[in-house]
PDB file of all heavy atoms in Angstrom:
ATOM      1  N   ILE A  15     153.530 136.898  98.385  1.00  0.00           N
ATOM      2  CA  ILE A  15     154.262 136.192  97.325  1.00  0.00           C
ATOM      3  C   ILE A  15     154.459 134.742  97.692  1.00  0.00           C
ATOM      4  O   ILE A  15     154.210 133.828  96.905  1.00  0.00           O
ATOM      5  CB  ILE A  15     155.607 136.893  96.960  1.00  0.00           C
ATOM      6  CG1 ILE A  15     155.333 138.270  96.352  1.00  0.00           C
ATOM      7  CG2 ILE A  15     156.428 136.058  95.983  1.00  0.00           C
ATOM      8  CD1 ILE A  15     156.602 139.092  96.204  1.00  0.00           C
ATOM      9  N   TRP A  16     154.892 134.499  98.945  1.00  0.00           N
ATOM     10  CA  TRP A  16     155.090 133.170  99.400  1.00  0.00           C
ATOM     11  C   TRP A  16     153.819 132.382  99.394  1.00  0.00           C
ATOM     12  O   TRP A  16     153.805 131.204  99.059  1.00  0.00           O
ATOM     13  CB  TRP A  16     155.713 133.186 100.818  1.00  0.00           C
ATOM     14  CG  TRP A  16     156.002 131.866 101.349  1.00  0.00           C
ATOM     15  CD1 TRP A  16     155.339 131.307 102.415  1.00  0.00           C
ATOM     16  CD2 TRP A  16     156.904 130.866 100.882  1.00  0.00           C
ATOM     17  NE1 TRP A  16     155.848 129.993 102.673  1.00  0.00           N
ATOM     18  CE2 TRP A  16     156.806 129.748 101.732  1.00  0.00           C
ATOM     19  CE3 TRP A  16     157.832 130.863  99.886  1.00  0.00           C
ATOM     20  CZ2 TRP A  16     157.553 128.610 101.548  1.00  0.00           C
ATOM     21  CZ3 TRP A  16     158.599 129.691  99.697  1.00  0.00           C
ATOM     22  CH2 TRP A  16     158.503 128.626 100.524  1.00  0.00           C
ATOM     23  N   ASN A  17     152.702 132.995  99.870  1.00  0.00           N
ATOM     24  CA  ASN A  17     151.426 132.281  99.871  1.00  0.00           C
ATOM     25  C   ASN A  17     150.981 131.937  98.491  1.00  0.00           C
ATOM     26  O   ASN A  17     150.411 130.880  98.230  1.00  0.00           O
ATOM     27  CB  ASN A  17     150.357 133.134 100.573  1.00  0.00           C
ATOM     28  CG  ASN A  17     150.573 133.146 102.079  1.00  0.00           C
ATOM     29  OD1 ASN A  17     151.204 132.257 102.613  1.00  0.00           O
ATOM     30  ND2 ASN A  17     149.959 134.156 102.737  1.00  0.00           N
ATOM     31  N   THR A  18     151.198 132.779  97.529  1.00  0.00           N
ATOM     32  CA  THR A  18     150.851 132.559  96.136  1.00  0.00           C
ATOM     33  C   THR A  18     151.684 131.442  95.586  1.00  0.00           C
ATOM     34  O   THR A  18     151.166 130.541  94.841  1.00  0.00           O
ATOM     35  CB  THR A  18     151.032 133.839  95.269  1.00  0.00           C
ATOM     36  OG1 THR A  18     150.270 134.890  95.874  1.00  0.00           O
ATOM     37  CG2 THR A  18     150.561 133.632  93.833  1.00  0.00           C
ATOM     38  N   VAL A  19     152.983 131.382  95.890  1.00  0.00           N
ATOM     39  CA  VAL A  19     153.813 130.288  95.449  1.00  0.00           C
ATOM     40  C   VAL A  19     153.346 128.984  96.002  1.00  0.00           C
ATOM     41  O   VAL A  19     153.287 127.941  95.358  1.00  0.00           O
ATOM     42  CB  VAL A  19     155.310 130.587  95.799  1.00  0.00           C
ATOM     43  CG1 VAL A  19     156.163 129.333  95.590  1.00  0.00           C
ATOM     44  CG2 VAL A  19     155.817 131.738  94.975  1.00  0.00           C
ATOM     45  N   LEU A  20     153.022 128.957  97.322  1.00  0.00           N
ATOM     46  CA  LEU A  20     152.520 127.736  97.927  1.00  0.00           C
ATOM     47  C   LEU A  20     151.175 127.274  97.321  1.00  0.00           C
ATOM     48  O   LEU A  20     150.980 126.045  97.120  1.00  0.00           O
ATOM     49  CB  LEU A  20     152.389 127.926  99.439  1.00  0.00           C
ATOM     50  CG  LEU A  20     153.680 127.952 100.239  1.00  0.00           C
ATOM     51  CD1 LEU A  20     153.341 128.180 101.720  1.00  0.00           C
ATOM     52  CD2 LEU A  20     154.431 126.678 100.088  1.00  0.00           C
ATOM     53  N   LYS A  21     150.256 128.171  96.979  1.00  0.00           N
ATOM     54  CA  LYS A  21     149.063 127.828  96.329  1.00  0.00           C
ATOM     55  C   LYS A  21     149.309 127.146  94.981  1.00  0.00           C
ATOM     56  O   LYS A  21     148.714 126.187  94.562  1.00  0.00           O
ATOM     57  CB  LYS A  21     148.153 129.022  96.115  1.00  0.00           C
ATOM     58  CG  LYS A  21     147.529 129.508  97.422  1.00  0.00           C
ATOM     59  CD  LYS A  21     146.658 130.736  97.168  1.00  0.00           C
ATOM     60  CE  LYS A  21     146.127 131.301  98.455  1.00  0.00           C
ATOM     61  NZ  LYS A  21     145.320 132.485  98.228  1.00  0.00           N
ATOM     62  N   GLY A  22     150.286 127.729  94.234  1.00  0.00           N
ATOM     63  CA  GLY A  22     150.666 127.133  92.939  1.00  0.00           C
ATOM     64  C   GLY A  22     151.224 125.726  93.153  1.00  0.00           C
ATOM     65  O   GLY A  22     150.957 124.827  92.327  1.00  0.00           O
ATOM     66  N   LEU A  23     152.062 125.565  94.137  1.00  0.00           N
ATOM     67  CA  LEU A  23     152.676 124.248  94.433  1.00  0.00           C
ATOM     68  C   LEU A  23     151.614 123.266  94.795  1.00  0.00           C
ATOM     69  O   LEU A  23     151.608 122.108  94.266  1.00  0.00           O
ATOM     70  CB  LEU A  23     153.695 124.368  95.570  1.00  0.00           C
ATOM     71  CG  LEU A  23     154.401 123.093  95.959  1.00  0.00           C
ATOM     72  CD1 LEU A  23     155.296 122.627  94.815  1.00  0.00           C
ATOM     73  CD2 LEU A  23     155.251 123.331  97.207  1.00  0.00           C
ATOM     74  N   VAL A  24     150.632 123.661  95.584  1.00  0.00           N
ATOM     75  CA  VAL A  24     149.505 122.766  95.980  1.00  0.00           C
ATOM     76  C   VAL A  24     148.684 122.370  94.746  1.00  0.00           C
ATOM     77  O   VAL A  24     148.163 121.263  94.680  1.00  0.00           O
ATOM     78  CB  VAL A  24     148.686 123.383  97.092  1.00  0.00           C
ATOM     79  CG1 VAL A  24     147.337 122.639  97.294  1.00  0.00           C
ATOM     80  CG2 VAL A  24     149.470 123.510  98.439  1.00  0.00           C
ATOM     81  N   ALA A  25     148.571 123.266  93.833  1.00  0.00           N
ATOM     82  CA  ALA A  25     147.788 123.000  92.645  1.00  0.00           C
ATOM     83  C   ALA A  25     148.510 122.113  91.678  1.00  0.00           C
ATOM     84  O   ALA A  25     147.930 121.211  91.032  1.00  0.00           O
ATOM     85  CB  ALA A  25     147.368 124.307  91.951  1.00  0.00           C
ATOM     86  N   ILE A  26     149.817 122.265  91.488  1.00  0.00           N
ATOM     87  CA  ILE A  26     150.556 121.491  90.495  1.00  0.00           C
ATOM     88  C   ILE A  26     151.147 120.167  91.005  1.00  0.00           C
ATOM     89  O   ILE A  26     151.284 119.248  90.259  1.00  0.00           O
ATOM     90  CB  ILE A  26     151.702 122.434  89.958  1.00  0.00           C
ATOM     91  CG1 ILE A  26     151.087 123.572  89.220  1.00  0.00           C
ATOM     92  CG2 ILE A  26     152.716 121.692  89.133  1.00  0.00           C
ATOM     93  CD1 ILE A  26     151.773 124.117  88.070  1.00  0.00           C
ATOM     94  N   LEU A  27     151.542 120.137  92.258  1.00  0.00           N
ATOM     95  CA  LEU A  27     152.200 118.919  92.782  1.00  0.00           C
ATOM     96  C   LEU A  27     151.371 117.672  92.613  1.00  0.00           C
ATOM     97  O   LEU A  27     151.920 116.638  92.117  1.00  0.00           O
ATOM     98  CB  LEU A  27     152.597 119.128  94.275  1.00  0.00           C
ATOM     99  CG  LEU A  27     153.561 118.122  94.863  1.00  0.00           C
ATOM    100  CD1 LEU A  27     154.846 118.172  94.068  1.00  0.00           C
ATOM    101  CD2 LEU A  27     153.780 118.437  96.310  1.00  0.00           C
ATOM    102  N   PRO A  28     150.097 117.607  92.978  1.00  0.00           N
ATOM    103  CA  PRO A  28     149.358 116.352  92.770  1.00  0.00           C
ATOM    104  C   PRO A  28     149.285 115.919  91.337  1.00  0.00           C
ATOM    105  O   PRO A  28     149.437 114.773  91.039  1.00  0.00           O
ATOM    106  CB  PRO A  28     147.990 116.637  93.320  1.00  0.00           C
ATOM    107  CG  PRO A  28     148.160 117.774  94.261  1.00  0.00           C
ATOM    108  CD  PRO A  28     149.272 118.567  93.707  1.00  0.00           C
ATOM    109  N   LEU A  29     149.093 116.831  90.457  1.00  0.00           N
ATOM    110  CA  LEU A  29     149.040 116.584  89.019  1.00  0.00           C
ATOM    111  C   LEU A  29     150.386 116.037  88.491  1.00  0.00           C
ATOM    112  O   LEU A  29     150.501 115.032  87.819  1.00  0.00           O
ATOM    113  CB  LEU A  29     148.600 117.788  88.233  1.00  0.00           C
ATOM    114  CG  LEU A  29     148.527 117.617  86.703  1.00  0.00           C
ATOM    115  CD1 LEU A  29     147.507 116.598  86.315  1.00  0.00           C
ATOM    116  CD2 LEU A  29     148.307 118.920  86.053  1.00  0.00           C
ATOM    117  N   GLY A  30     151.417 116.725  88.882  1.00  0.00           N
ATOM    118  CA  GLY A  30     152.745 116.354  88.416  1.00  0.00           C
ATOM    119  C   GLY A  30     153.206 115.001  88.951  1.00  0.00           C
ATOM    120  O   GLY A  30     153.757 114.197  88.259  1.00  0.00           O
ATOM    121  N   LEU A  31     152.915 114.714  90.237  1.00  0.00           N
ATOM    122  CA  LEU A  31     153.245 113.445  90.837  1.00  0.00           C
ATOM    123  C   LEU A  31     152.484 112.324  90.224  1.00  0.00           C
ATOM    124  O   LEU A  31     152.943 111.240  89.962  1.00  0.00           O
ATOM    125  CB  LEU A  31     153.083 113.464  92.308  1.00  0.00           C
ATOM    126  CG  LEU A  31     154.126 114.233  93.084  1.00  0.00           C
ATOM    127  CD1 LEU A  31     153.783 114.243  94.595  1.00  0.00           C
ATOM    128  CD2 LEU A  31     155.522 113.653  92.929  1.00  0.00           C
ATOM    129  N   THR A  32     151.191 112.577  89.924  1.00  0.00           N
ATOM    130  CA  THR A  32     150.375 111.578  89.313  1.00  0.00           C
ATOM    131  C   THR A  32     150.873 111.208  87.901  1.00  0.00           C
ATOM    132  O   THR A  32     151.010 110.001  87.544  1.00  0.00           O
ATOM    133  CB  THR A  32     148.916 112.045  89.179  1.00  0.00           C
ATOM    134  OG1 THR A  32     148.431 112.332  90.514  1.00  0.00           O
ATOM    135  CG2 THR A  32     148.016 110.993  88.570  1.00  0.00           C
ATOM    136  N   VAL A  33     151.200 112.242  87.103  1.00  0.00           N
ATOM    137  CA  VAL A  33     151.725 111.961  85.757  1.00  0.00           C
ATOM    138  C   VAL A  33     153.027 111.191  85.874  1.00  0.00           C
ATOM    139  O   VAL A  33     153.253 110.211  85.128  1.00  0.00           O
ATOM    140  CB  VAL A  33     151.865 113.297  84.971  1.00  0.00           C
ATOM    141  CG1 VAL A  33     152.669 113.125  83.743  1.00  0.00           C
ATOM    142  CG2 VAL A  33     150.495 113.905  84.705  1.00  0.00           C
ATOM    143  N   TYR A  34     153.872 111.599  86.814  1.00  0.00           N
ATOM    144  CA  TYR A  34     155.154 110.930  86.910  1.00  0.00           C
ATOM    145  C   TYR A  34     155.009 109.479  87.340  1.00  0.00           C
ATOM    146  O   TYR A  34     155.675 108.591  86.811  1.00  0.00           O
ATOM    147  CB  TYR A  34     156.063 111.628  87.928  1.00  0.00           C
ATOM    148  CG  TYR A  34     157.377 110.970  88.172  1.00  0.00           C
ATOM    149  CD1 TYR A  34     158.380 110.990  87.200  1.00  0.00           C
ATOM    150  CD2 TYR A  34     157.577 110.195  89.330  1.00  0.00           C
ATOM    151  CE1 TYR A  34     159.576 110.314  87.397  1.00  0.00           C
ATOM    152  CE2 TYR A  34     158.762 109.522  89.519  1.00  0.00           C
ATOM    153  CZ  TYR A  34     159.743 109.573  88.548  1.00  0.00           C
ATOM    154  OH  TYR A  34     160.938 108.893  88.706  1.00  0.00           O
ATOM    155  N   VAL A  35     154.156 109.212  88.340  1.00  0.00           N
ATOM    156  CA  VAL A  35     153.993 107.793  88.768  1.00  0.00           C
ATOM    157  C   VAL A  35     153.352 106.945  87.673  1.00  0.00           C
ATOM    158  O   VAL A  35     153.826 105.783  87.461  1.00  0.00           O
ATOM    159  CB  VAL A  35     153.042 107.774  90.052  1.00  0.00           C
ATOM    160  CG1 VAL A  35     152.595 106.379  90.371  1.00  0.00           C
ATOM    161  CG2 VAL A  35     153.769 108.357  91.252  1.00  0.00           C
ATOM    162  N   VAL A  36     152.418 107.462  86.902  1.00  0.00           N
ATOM    163  CA  VAL A  36     151.850 106.696  85.798  1.00  0.00           C
ATOM    164  C   VAL A  36     152.954 106.430  84.739  1.00  0.00           C
ATOM    165  O   VAL A  36     153.109 105.299  84.228  1.00  0.00           O
ATOM    166  CB  VAL A  36     150.627 107.370  85.165  1.00  0.00           C
ATOM    167  CG1 VAL A  36     150.247 106.765  83.873  1.00  0.00           C
ATOM    168  CG2 VAL A  36     149.495 107.425  86.143  1.00  0.00           C
ATOM    169  N   TYR A  37     153.755 107.475  84.416  1.00  0.00           N
ATOM    170  CA  TYR A  37     154.813 107.284  83.482  1.00  0.00           C
ATOM    171  C   TYR A  37     155.855 106.267  84.000  1.00  0.00           C
ATOM    172  O   TYR A  37     156.303 105.349  83.238  1.00  0.00           O
ATOM    173  CB  TYR A  37     155.534 108.592  83.203  1.00  0.00           C
ATOM    174  CG  TYR A  37     156.828 108.514  82.472  1.00  0.00           C
ATOM    175  CD1 TYR A  37     156.812 108.352  81.094  1.00  0.00           C
ATOM    176  CD2 TYR A  37     158.066 108.577  83.108  1.00  0.00           C
ATOM    177  CE1 TYR A  37     158.005 108.240  80.415  1.00  0.00           C
ATOM    178  CE2 TYR A  37     159.209 108.459  82.431  1.00  0.00           C
ATOM    179  CZ  TYR A  37     159.197 108.332  81.075  1.00  0.00           C
ATOM    180  OH  TYR A  37     160.390 108.212  80.371  1.00  0.00           O
ATOM    181  N   TRP A  38     156.213 106.371  85.271  1.00  0.00           N
ATOM    182  CA  TRP A  38     157.189 105.418  85.840  1.00  0.00           C
ATOM    183  C   TRP A  38     156.647 104.001  85.806  1.00  0.00           C
ATOM    184  O   TRP A  38     157.387 103.070  85.464  1.00  0.00           O
ATOM    185  CB  TRP A  38     157.498 105.839  87.269  1.00  0.00           C
ATOM    186  CG  TRP A  38     158.377 104.892  87.982  1.00  0.00           C
ATOM    187  CD1 TRP A  38     159.759 104.795  87.903  1.00  0.00           C
ATOM    188  CD2 TRP A  38     157.999 103.843  88.890  1.00  0.00           C
ATOM    189  NE1 TRP A  38     160.264 103.777  88.658  1.00  0.00           N
ATOM    190  CE2 TRP A  38     159.199 103.199  89.293  1.00  0.00           C
ATOM    191  CE3 TRP A  38     156.803 103.440  89.444  1.00  0.00           C
ATOM    192  CZ2 TRP A  38     159.204 102.151  90.175  1.00  0.00           C
ATOM    193  CZ3 TRP A  38     156.762 102.397  90.301  1.00  0.00           C
ATOM    194  CH2 TRP A  38     157.972 101.743  90.673  1.00  0.00           C
ATOM    195  N   LEU A  39     155.372 103.801  86.119  1.00  0.00           N
ATOM    196  CA  LEU A  39     154.830 102.446  86.108  1.00  0.00           C
ATOM    197  C   LEU A  39     154.790 101.879  84.685  1.00  0.00           C
ATOM    198  O   LEU A  39     155.124 100.738  84.436  1.00  0.00           O
ATOM    199  CB  LEU A  39     153.351 102.466  86.638  1.00  0.00           C
ATOM    200  CG  LEU A  39     153.252 102.555  88.132  1.00  0.00           C
ATOM    201  CD1 LEU A  39     151.763 102.756  88.525  1.00  0.00           C
ATOM    202  CD2 LEU A  39     153.797 101.311  88.832  1.00  0.00           C
TER     203      LEU A  39
END
């Protein structure tokens, strides 16, 4: 379960941070 959660985090974090940085700029 923990490994699956980490895989989801690795998949979503770059996309989420990119969208947030573009929005912030």
Side-chain angles (χ1 to χ4, degrees):
I15 293 172
W16 179 248
N17 286 340
T18 305
V19 168
L20 285 179
K21 286 179 185 178
L23 182 64
V24 167
I26 294 213
L27 193 61
L29 178 65
L31 285 176
T32 301
V33 169
Y34 176 74
V35 167
V36 169
Y37 170 78
W38 177 79
L39 286 171

